[in-house]
Amino acid sequence: MAFALPPLPYAYDALEPYIDSTTVCFLTKHHNTYVTNVNNVLAGENGGSLKGLSLSAIQKEVVSLPDSIKTAVRNSGGGHWNHSFFWSVMGKTGSIAEAPSGDLKSSIESTFGSLDEMQKKFNTAAATRFGSGWAWLSVNADGQLFISSTPNQDNPLMEGIVDQPGTPILGLDVWEHAYYLKYQNRRPEYIASWWKTVDFDVIAKNYTAAKSGGLPAFDTPLA
């Protein structure tokens, strides 16, 4: 068993002008490093504890892994899941749903008051994450939406590790390498621009899955 780098679901320049093609290219190289590193764990002495698990299942098992591989899986397995998920929630302007509808829209409005208020809270979580990490919109065990941020490559699936566990339906990479080539130190500008790439049809599907106890569906191929 070994993971493979999933193909981008769009061209490298599809997210222009909000996320430049050079950054997307570099990010896929970072992503590939995470894939390589988690595969090295799988092939190693204690990799048997991961064999047969999906990438999402691995996130949920991080807390119970042997200490000898826990940090590597948390960082590289998390990095693989996070980036695969990140690519899946975006798309080319003109071919995406730029606003929520249906049950997702209703839930956002009942939880946060409006889409605008949700985005403000999300933006704050992303902008104030110290150092490297991610911002998330997730569904908790009670089926309620919540916003959180995590350091490094942690994600809300890592119950027992993160402060607020849940099922992510939207995530944003706020590591500097995700935006520095285009935005330099202007992280808030990157965050505001990124919303122009978010496909709310995908987020709605993720929300429906999470509400029924499922997980987001995206490509995590095996080698």
Side-chain angles (χ1 to χ4, degrees):
M1 173 182 169
F3 293 108
L5 182 71
L8 279 177
Y10 33 72
Y12 282 93
D13 62 355
L15 307 179
E16 296 270 10
Y18 310 107
I19 301 178
D20 60 286
S21 60
T22 303
T23 293
V24 172
C25 182
F26 277 123
L27 273 178
T28 60
K29 295 180 187 299
H30 283 287
H31 186 176
N32 192 57
T33 298
Y34 294 124
V35 174
T36 299
N37 289 344
V38 76
N39 283 340
N40 288 341
V41 175
L42 284 165
E45 181 179 353
N46 291 299
S49 57
L50 301 176
K51 285 187 171 27
L53 295 179
S54 69
L55 184 60
S56 293
I58 288 172
Q59 311 306 301
K60 292 175 171 287
E61 294 297 321
V62 167
V63 70
S64 61
L65 292 176
D67 289 342
S68 59
I69 63 171
K70 183 180 294 183
T71 298
V73 174
R74 180 178 177 179
N75 291 337
S76 295
H80 181 19
W81 194 95
N82 293 352
H83 285 85
S84 299
F85 180 66
F86 182 54
W87 303 128
S88 77
V89 300
M90 298 183 291
K92 184 177 177 63
T93 300
S95 64
I96 58 175
E98 297 183 9
S101 59
D103 290 344
L104 175 61
K105 180 176 184 290
S106 297
S107 184
I108 287 172
E109 291 175 348
S110 64
T111 304
F112 303 103
S114 67
L115 173 63
D116 185 58
E117 286 302 310
M118 183 276 283
Q119 289 176 318
K120 287 179 182 177
K121 288 180 171 61
F122 188 100
N123 292 358
T124 297
T128 58
R129 165 47 59 187
F130 181 77
S132 302
W134 295 75
W136 307 96
L137 177 65
S138 304
V139 175
N140 67 18
D142 296 323
Q144 303 300 309
L145 289 173
F146 70 94
I147 288 168
S148 66
S149 72
T150 56
N152 302 315
Q153 297 298 346
D154 291 355
N155 62 62
L157 292 177
M158 296 179 181
E159 188 169 358
I161 289 179
V162 297
D163 293 332
Q164 294 177 275
T167 302
I169 65 171
L170 177 66
L172 172 61
D173 187 349
V174 291
W175 283 61
E176 281 192 345
H177 61 231
Y179 60 87
Y180 209 83
L181 285 176
K182 182 174 179 66
Y183 295 97
Q184 290 81 52
N185 63 333
R186 305 188 308 276
R187 186 191 284 189
E189 184 181 342
Y190 157 66
I191 296 165
S193 296
W194 167 77
W195 284 105
K196 298 293 187 181
T197 72
V198 171
D199 188 346
F200 277 98
D201 278 351
V202 174
I203 314 312
K205 291 175 183 176
N206 293 343
Y207 175 71
T208 298
K211 287 279 285 184
S212 62
L215 294 166
F218 53 87
D219 192 15
T220 54
L222 297 178

